């Protein structure tokens, strides 16, 4: 079966500035796997930008359930990227994952916007999704909120593989660590100087989902996505919210 028959379904919020969320996911797919069939399901509408605290309104759970079923009804292997999910919707997403059994699911456990405010997500519902996903990609703040420890040899087993973004690294270096069962893989590299563009979490998780849909194993998919994003962030430009956005 070729990658063209695979469906990648991205579920996430609409950030009208285009910095993060589904618009960033679509941009990422166009760069990383334009041959894939793709569907997008809006989980929430958000208002953010210009330093104002973010606000969000999640879809009603029943509506989201219907949208997920509609978008995933075609046959063929299904790959899923989950972004912003409001607290009320995690249960219907969990039920849908159990019913539809995607081949791989990448969860970006979005909790906050970098401008502050609330996006309506809660750690508890996201944790309930862990046993149903192939990879979760929390940053340091999200790891803390989700009660996930920092990666270390011999750490207690996790319910799913974890890509811990921004773990401790030596001066001038950055490191993300994949924890898959007992195995730790460190993606340690030179720090890219400059301001952090918006939406890097969305872009990374989507780039990983693209690589998985193209047949890569989890560690290779993470390595490919991290290398691509390190390069893409150099080309960031100021977006409509006055913050750096990924571009090419
Ligand atoms: N808005 C949406 C819809 C998101 O999915 C995310 C993060 O994934 C954010 C905002 C936060 O983005 P940032 O951290 O760049 O502000």
């Amino acid at each position: 079966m070729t990658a063209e028959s695979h469906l990648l379904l991205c579920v996430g919020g609409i950030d009208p500035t285009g910095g993060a969320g589904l618009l960033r996911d679509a941009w990422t797919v166009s760069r990383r796997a334009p041959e894939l069939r793709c569907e997008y399901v809006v989980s929430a509408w958000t208002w953010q930008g210009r330093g104002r605290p973010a606000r969000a309104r999640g879809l009603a759970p029943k509506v989201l359930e219907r949208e997920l079923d509609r978008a995933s009804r075609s046959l063929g292997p299904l790959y899923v990227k989950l972004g912003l999910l409001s607290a009320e919707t995690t249960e219907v997403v969990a039920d849908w994952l159990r019913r539809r059994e995607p081949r791989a699911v990448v969860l970006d456990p979005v909790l906050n916007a970098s401008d502050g405010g609330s996006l309506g997500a809660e750690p508890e519902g996201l944790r309930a999704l862990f046993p149903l996903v192939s990879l979760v990609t929390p940053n340091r703040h999200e790891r803390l909120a989700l009660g996930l420890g920092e990666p270390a040899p011999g750490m207690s087993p996790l319910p799913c593989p974890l890509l811990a973004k921004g773990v401790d690294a030596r001066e001038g270096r950055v490191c993300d660590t994949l924890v898959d069962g007992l195995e730790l893989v460190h993606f340690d590299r030179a720090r890219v100087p400059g301001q952090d563009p918006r939406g890097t979490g969305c872009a990374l998780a989507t780039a990983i989902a693209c690589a998985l849909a193209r047949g890569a194993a989890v560690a290779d998919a993470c390595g490919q996505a991290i290398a691509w994003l390190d390069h893409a962030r150099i080309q960031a430009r100021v977006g409509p919210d006055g913050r750096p956005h990924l571009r090419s």
Side-chain angles (χ1 to χ4, degrees):
M1 202 173 282
T2 62
E4 285 81 1
S5 66
H6 296 184
L7 175 66
L8 175 62
L9 173 49
C10 297
V11 183
I14 294 288
D15 165 8
T17 75
L22 275 191
L23 297 173
R24 179 57 56 207
D25 294 337
W27 176 85
T28 304
V29 175
S30 73
R31 263 69 189 168
R32 299 305 294 159
E35 80 284 5
L36 286 179
R37 281 191 308 129
C38 241
E39 290 273 354
Y40 298 91
V41 167
V42 177
S43 58
W45 294 92
T46 75
W47 294 266
Q48 49 191 305
R50 300 265 162 221
R52 286 188 294 270
R55 289 180 298 125
R57 180 171 303 160
L59 243 66
K62 276 280 161 213
V63 179
L64 181 61
E65 184 177 35
R66 215 167 43 230
E67 281 298 294
L68 291 170
D69 283 334
R70 176 199 58 75
S72 64
R73 75 182 154 220
S74 71
L75 297 174
L78 173 66
Y79 294 80
V80 177
K81 144 74 194 297
L82 298 173
L84 175 61
L85 297 175
S86 64
E88 312 78 66
T89 59
T90 47
E91 233 173 271
V92 296
V93 173
D95 286 344
W96 171 73
L97 290 175
R98 282 190 206 98
R99 264 189 288 122
R100 189 56 178 79
E101 296 186 334
R103 216 177 246 191
V105 182
V106 180
L107 169 64
D108 178 21
V110 180
L111 286 170
N112 295 107
S114 45
D115 277 338
S118 169
L119 290 175
E122 295 289 345
E124 202 179 316
L126 295 175
R127 282 187 66 92
L129 294 174
F130 288 175
L132 299 167
V133 308
S134 322
L135 182 71
V136 59
T137 61
N139 60 27
R140 191 181 287 267
H141 163 78
E142 290 158 351
R143 288 198 291 285
L144 202 68
L146 290 161
L148 295 164
E150 288 302 290
M155 71 189 286
S156 39
L158 298 164
C160 63
L162 163 84
L163 180 67
K165 297 181 295 192
V167 299
D168 287 339
R170 283 174 293 129
E171 178 79 24
R173 315 277 305 167
V174 285
C175 186
D176 303 327
T177 296
L178 172 67
V179 185
D180 194 352
L182 294 177
E183 199 189 355
L184 264 59
V185 183
H186 301 290
F187 299 96
D188 177 89
R189 66 260 186 223
R191 176 177 292 280
V192 176
Q195 250 191 306
D196 209 18
R198 293 205 49 225
T200 52
C202 307
L204 183 70
T206 304
I208 295 170
C210 286
L212 293 173
R214 286 180 142 191
V218 171
D220 288 340
C222 291
Q224 289 170 24
I226 288 168
W228 165 74
L229 187 61
D230 279 354
H231 184 71
R233 65 198 309 149
I234 300 170
Q235 293 147 24
R237 302 270 182 283
V238 175
D241 54 356
R243 303 264 313 275
H245 284 201
L246 292 162
R247 287 284 153 79
S248 61

